[in-house]
Amino acid sequence: MVRIAILDDYLNRALGSADWGRIPGVQITVFDRHLGGEDTVADELSPFEIVVAMRERTPFPSSLLERLSNLRLLVTTGMRNRSIDLSAAKSRGILVCGTELPTHPPAELTWALILGLVRDVPRENAAMRAGAWQVTCGIGLKGRVLGIVGLGRQGRQVARVGLAFDMDVIAWSRNLTAEKAAEHGARYVERDELLATADIVTLHLPLTSGTRGLVGAREIALMKPRSYLINTSRGPIVDEKALIDALTHGRIAGAGLDVYDEEPLPADHPLRSIEPAILMAHNGYVVEEMFPLAYGHAVEDIEAWLTGNPIRVLAGA
């Protein structure tokens, strides 16, 4: 009997989103909560030959992989997962495969956060339910400056919507050129100029050694007092303490966050009590159409591996 663990299925969608019955001779265990630290993960997953991970919710560094002596196949939703040590997996004979994901949801959520902030949707909604009427005054987007940090797949989608709102779209990343930015309707500017001039700064970069802490106290201090910061990429790209300090003291107008240094965000975390912030629970890819695609491909990956013909093997695995 091959044992399969499905991790971090917070909404209990995995089993109902794919035909797991196609895989004979397996025993499936679903974890609908985050397992927590490495010791707990190692203890819980030690019996399993196959693990299906939801994006980067549970990291698999070398130190953890060394403790999972039974693990032979690790499937991650998505075709890239920087929280898996691929070289360590390969050295231990663990194959890592991925799945496709819809590409549009994170950019759409970015705009949900932007619009919610600039029109103060949460406060107006709360006020209406409390019997009040018109308690805030928002800003329009036409003619405002949208600063996009990272003009990759997600950043380009965000740029197109900004242009539709008649915004002035500017962009920066380390490898971006003026010509490439212009292809997508944006003006290339240096990072400090983007931070100092944008009314909305939105981050669309992977978390790497070069982007960790990219937006710290110095960078936030460059932003205009009435500007907003949006992060739907990865929490550690922003210095969380510096952001909390800026929001607490009104140095920027607000923030829209979907990602955090620690996830799930602790119940007593100070961000939960800061009013000029809209918080989402890493919902970037969490839309109805994601589950059948991701878990359907996970089933296919497992079937293919069991027959000796693995598919969707991650580059470097």
Side-chain angles (χ1 to χ4, degrees), residues 258-270:
D258 188 42
V259 288
Y260 311 91
D261 286 0
E262 181 181 356
E263 297 182 4
L265 192 68
D268 60 350
H269 196 283

Side-chain angles (χ1 to χ4, degrees), residues 81-246:
N81 190 326
R82 294 178 183 272
S83 72
I84 298 174
D85 188 327
L86 293 177
S87 61
K90 188 173 184 178
S91 69
R92 295 193 59 81
I94 301 168
L95 188 66
V96 184
C97 298
T99 76
E100 292 182 24
L101 288 175
T103 60
H104 58 279
E108 294 176 351
L109 180 61
T110 295
W111 277 104
L113 291 169
I114 291 172
L115 293 168
L117 284 166
V118 301
R119 298 307 296 266
D120 221 333
V121 172
R123 268 212 294 169
E124 285 291 345
N125 179 64
M128 285 290 289
R129 293 178 183 278
W133 182 261
Q134 201 173 104
V135 297
T136 69
C137 179
I139 65 169
L141 294 177
K142 183 175 182 178
R144 301 280 180 174
V145 180
L146 175 65
I148 302 176
V149 180
L151 201 60
R153 183 174 62 187
Q154 296 300 327
R156 292 194 295 268
Q157 292 181 68
V158 171
R160 288 197 294 271
V161 179
L163 293 169
F165 277 120
D166 288 330
M167 300 184 75
D168 178 12
V169 180
I170 60 177
W172 172 87
S173 66
R174 287 191 173 95
N175 298 316
L176 185 63
T177 64
E179 294 75 18
K180 182 61 69 174
E183 289 178 12
H184 302 285
R187 289 188 296 110
Y188 172 82
V189 297
E190 294 295 337
R191 181 180 63 172
D192 286 2
E193 181 181 350
L194 182 148
L195 293 166
T197 58
D199 297 293
I200 297 161
V201 175
T202 180
L203 309 178
H204 301 282
L205 297 168
L207 179 61
T208 67
S209 58
T211 62
R212 184 178 293 273
L214 182 72
V215 179
R218 173 192 170 276
E219 289 72 29
I220 294 173
L222 292 172
M223 295 174 63
K224 297 190 289 189
R226 291 303 306 162
S227 64
Y228 300 89
L229 178 65
I230 312 295
N231 188 5
T232 57
S233 293
R234 289 295 180 268
I237 295 173
V238 178
D239 182 325
E240 201 168 80
K241 290 182 179 179
L243 176 59
I244 291 170
D245 183 67

